[in-house]
Amino acid sequence: MNKILEIKNLHIHFRHHHQAVKALEGVDLDIYEGEILALVGQSGSGKTVTGLSITRILPPSAEIINGEVIFGNQDLLKAGPARINAIRGRDVAYIFQEAAASLNPVLAIGRQVAESIMLHQNKTRKEAWDLALDALTQARLSRPESIMRSYPHQLSGGMNQRVMIAMAIAAAPRLLIADEPTTALDVTVESEVIGELLELREKFNFSILFITHNLSLVEKFAHRVAIMHRGRIVEQGASRRIFASPVHPHTRELIDSIIRI
Amino acid sequence: MILEVKGLKKYFPIEQGIFRHASGFVKAIDGISFSLNEKETLGIVGESGCGKSTLAKLILRLLNPDAGEVVFSGLIRELRKDVGIVFQDPLLSLDPRMRLKDMLREPFLARGLKRKADSEIGSLLGEVGLGSDILSRHPAQLSGGQRQRACIARALASRPKLLVLDEPLSSLDLIAQKQILELLSGLRKRLELTYIFISHNIAVVKQISTRVMVMQSGKVVEEGMAREVLGEPKSEYTKKLLEAAK
């Protein structure tokens, strides 16, 4: 399998009152074509910062101290604004925990999805509208025509997250970064949304970087798991191996914290 | 019996138009009855919007019911003292501008126990596993788990008999969830508390509850001993929740 992304020795600090908070302290992580890689860690371990650093959508106080993010023979950390903008949302797409917070509350869904298609794929308004409708159908939203005219507050959490997924896959990305995409959803909706995400991956063959604090959630579908602790990847390997014979004490601690039914 | 809820109803009007006339009602709680014995833990499970949190607010009289009653063993003015609450998001339920010390002192000041406060705060911190070094900190300077411990300490300050725990684990990561769950189990035994434990996470409810109530759209779907309801569920809805949690 080919590597599509390589993170090498990444160090990121946050400036805070003349002090540096070390968020990432030498992260090395590879993502292969078509795989589902789960990045798991406690809150504050640096997993979200790792995801955001890939297309440099970090908060202003973040400082990249050292490292490389290689995507398609290029270091994204050194790419110019035009190049990085071409990659954001197109080759690398994101979905986040609070779907409603990622959507614009005063614009209808159809306009938002179509707008991102027009921006990334150079389509006319009419073409983009049809593609948006198609993307919503792909993401298993029933009555896509009426959803195109709805506003985020009129939809449930699960529906909003499906809209985000539709928007992400409409650009035919090579890598989808899903940062706690189901944490705000009910368990029944959570398993539906994950099932749909996996189906879409089968169909379009993009890679997924699935960021979560919930190790038990990824047990069923991740190909590989990377465990993050205090700004470092402390253990990574095939999913089955991680669960069957964890090596690092923190991995064991995470596995022990799973409350099983 | 410590608490009895009889035929409780709470309807919220859906207001529309310029004059805000009610065009309909959301039946948040639609006829719920149950009773709670001392030292019992009643787990309430259901999906978002099923009325779990509204029920908690009605029990605490933070909302007034449209019909039905909440009977508490004791005087109604003692309800505030005898029933504590812990909410989902500890950061939202702590005042960002107050140091922990002042926050934990308030329940004592409210009851005119200023002199007892400092020694009591010391023992509260011990009970929830926090060091006294955090007393001078603000909520933003604590981790999620520490914040929730502080909320539990504050809820215990009035030495309540009943604790209503409304999704106390949902904003924590798994390791912190497990630690807080263990803390709550320990406290229940040591302090002989009664719990109402509200959660959408059926695995957590199974772990802590003696009795379980499954809710859907403001109604009780199934209720009984935790072992029976979650071991051999009768309703399709409970089965579906269990299946999704696997």
Side-chain angles (χ1 to χ4, degrees):
Chain A
M1 273 205 287
N2 298 323
K3 274 181 204 173
I4 61 160
L5 186 91
E6 236 177 299
I7 301 177
K8 288 185 194 168
N9 193 28
L10 188 59
H11 289 256
I12 292 180
H13 294 181
F14 283 92
R15 293 259 153 237
H16 186 75
H17 299 308
H18 307 289
Q19 277 184 325
V21 178
K22 293 172 181 168
L24 300 187
E25 296 191 79
V27 168
D28 290 287
L29 194 66
D30 297 338
I31 303 175
Y32 293 89
E33 216 171 88
E35 80 164 341
I36 304 173
L37 172 63
L39 184 58
V40 184
Q42 279 188 279
S43 11
S45 60
K47 48 194 198 303
T48 294
V49 175
T50 304
L52 297 178
S53 71
I54 292 170
T55 62
R56 298 198 332 239
I57 48 174
L58 293 157
S61 59
E63 219 176 311
I64 299 166
I65 304 294
N66 198 355
E68 288 171 79
V69 175
I70 310 287
F71 183 81
N73 300 324
Q74 193 184 17
D75 183 359
L76 295 187
L77 299 184
K78 295 192 179 72
R83 178 73 192 124
I84 196 85
N85 269 331
I87 287 170
R88 284 178 188 154
R90 187 174 185 176
D91 291 322
V92 182
Y94 288 86
I95 50 175
F96 295 103
Q97 177 171 343
E98 278 291 335
S102 310
L103 292 164
N104 187 333
V106 296
L107 293 183
I109 296 294
R111 180 157 166 207
Q112 297 189 53
V113 181
E115 201 168 69
S116 87
I117 293 171
M118 280 162 67
L119 187 70
H120 294 304
Q121 302 178 41
N122 235 343
K123 302 281 183 195
T124 65
R125 195 168 288 270
K126 175 77 185 68
E127 285 168 334
W129 189 265
D130 293 341
L131 285 169
L133 198 61
D134 185 48
L136 292 184
T137 316
Q138 296 275 11
R140 289 286 176 86
L141 279 155
S142 52
R143 303 178 293 108
E145 289 88 359
S146 82
I147 285 172
M148 293 281 274
R149 289 189 304 272
S150 309
Y151 291 86
H153 75 270
Q154 296 171 314
L155 306 181
S156 69
M159 287 161 97
N160 274 324
Q161 195 56 284
R162 287 186 178 98
V163 169
M164 288 308 295
I165 292 172
M167 209 187 268
I169 59 150
R174 294 178 62 202
L175 172 63
L176 176 71
I177 299 172
D179 192 347
E180 301 271 10
T182 57
T183 309
L185 306 176
D186 283 317
V187 271
T188 45
V189 182
E190 174 173 65
S191 52
E192 281 168 25
V193 168
I194 287 180
E196 287 151 18
L197 199 57
L198 297 182
E199 259 173 48
L200 288 167
R201 192 200 63 91
E202 289 273 305
K203 201 162 169 185
F204 299 109
N205 198 37
F206 48 85
S207 311
I208 299 179
L209 177 63
F210 197 100
I211 300 175
T212 180
H213 71 279
N214 189 344
L215 192 54
S216 65
L217 181 67
V218 299
E219 188 175 2
K220 286 166 254 173
F221 61 84
H223 300 134
R224 283 196 310 133
V225 175
I227 305 289
M228 209 163 174
H229 186 49
R230 300 189 174 178
R232 289 196 179 87
I233 308 278
V234 293
E235 182 168 2
Q236 59 175 309
S239 178
R240 217 171 305 152
R241 202 278 294 160
I242 294 273
F243 282 97
S245 49
V247 178
H248 196 274
H250 186 67
T251 312
R252 258 179 252 147
E253 196 184 352
L254 284 171
I255 291 176
D256 288 342
S257 73
I258 298 172
I259 296 161
R260 292 190 194 273
I261 198 142
Chain B
M1 207 186 307
I2 188 166
L3 182 83
E4 197 174 6
V5 170
K6 293 182 204 161
L8 209 58
K9 283 185 186 175
K10 182 73 189 173
Y11 293 176
F12 292 107
I14 304 166
E15 289 169 343
Q16 268 181 347
I18 197 163
F19 297 113
R20 305 225 139 251
H21 63 273
S23 63
F25 291 93
V26 177
K27 297 178 178 176
I29 296 292
D30 198 12
I32 285 190
S33 306
F34 67 89
S35 60
L36 191 61
N37 293 321
E38 265 167 57
K39 295 180 218 169
E40 206 174 21
T41 296
L42 174 68
I44 301 180
V45 231
E47 294 185 280
S48 356
C50 75
K52 308 188 291 286
S53 294
T54 307
L55 182 60
K57 285 179 188 155
L58 289 170
I59 290 168
L60 289 149
R61 294 290 301 271
L62 296 173
L63 281 176
N64 286 320
D66 293 326
E69 48 187 327
V70 177
V71 185
F72 186 71
S73 73
L75 296 169
I76 204 72
R77 68 189 160 88
E78 284 176 355
L79 184 83
R80 285 279 176 273
K81 183 173 85 64
D82 287 344
V83 186
I85 174 122
V86 177
F87 291 105
Q88 171 172 355
D89 192 331
L91 193 55
L92 286 182
S93 38
L94 296 171
D95 187 327
R97 293 174 306 174
M98 276 173 99
R99 290 180 197 279
L100 225 55
K101 186 172 50 190
D102 302 316
M103 214 141 26
L104 290 174
R105 204 175 267 157
E106 278 210 330
F108 296 99
L109 298 185
R111 288 182 293 132
L113 300 170
K114 196 175 176 183
R115 236 179 272 159
K116 263 176 81 184
D118 285 333
S119 64
E120 286 279 313
I121 289 172
S123 69
L124 279 175
L125 286 181
E127 260 154 24
V128 300
L130 286 173
S132 56
D133 54 311
I134 65 147
L135 280 175
S136 59
R137 295 202 208 157
H138 289 101
Q141 296 167 308
L142 304 175
S143 75
Q146 286 174 324
R147 279 180 209 137
Q148 199 57 293
R149 283 171 200 268
C151 288
I152 294 170
R154 187 177 58 178
L156 293 176
S158 63
R159 299 287 163 203
K161 295 182 187 127
L162 170 66
L163 263 194
V164 179
L165 304 150
D166 188 359
E167 297 270 11
L169 308 180
S170 301
S171 60
L172 306 174
D173 65 49
L174 282 198
I175 291 179
Q177 282 192 13
K178 176 136 190 183
Q179 288 166 347
I180 296 291
L181 197 61
E182 278 164 9
L183 169 70
L184 289 171
S185 310
L187 286 173
R188 183 187 49 188
K189 288 196 199 94
R190 269 207 311 282
L191 307 176
E192 306 195 322
L193 292 165
T194 309
Y195 285 165
I196 293 182
F197 190 97
I198 297 174
S199 176
H200 69 281
N201 187 338
I202 208 161
V204 169
V205 167
K206 189 177 182 182
Q207 183 108 344
I208 196 164
S209 309
T210 48
R211 222 145 49 88
V212 170
M213 190 163 106
V214 181
M215 278 181 71
Q216 188 185 23
S217 324
K219 290 196 169 81
V220 176
V221 175
E222 199 168 350
E223 200 242 308
M225 298 308 289
R227 234 171 300 122
E228 287 160 21
V229 173
L230 302 178
E232 297 156 32
K234 291 193 187 70
S235 89
E236 284 306 311
Y237 185 68
T238 314
K239 284 178 197 160
K240 191 177 141 200
L241 285 179
L242 279 163
E243 191 50 44
K246 269 187 188 137

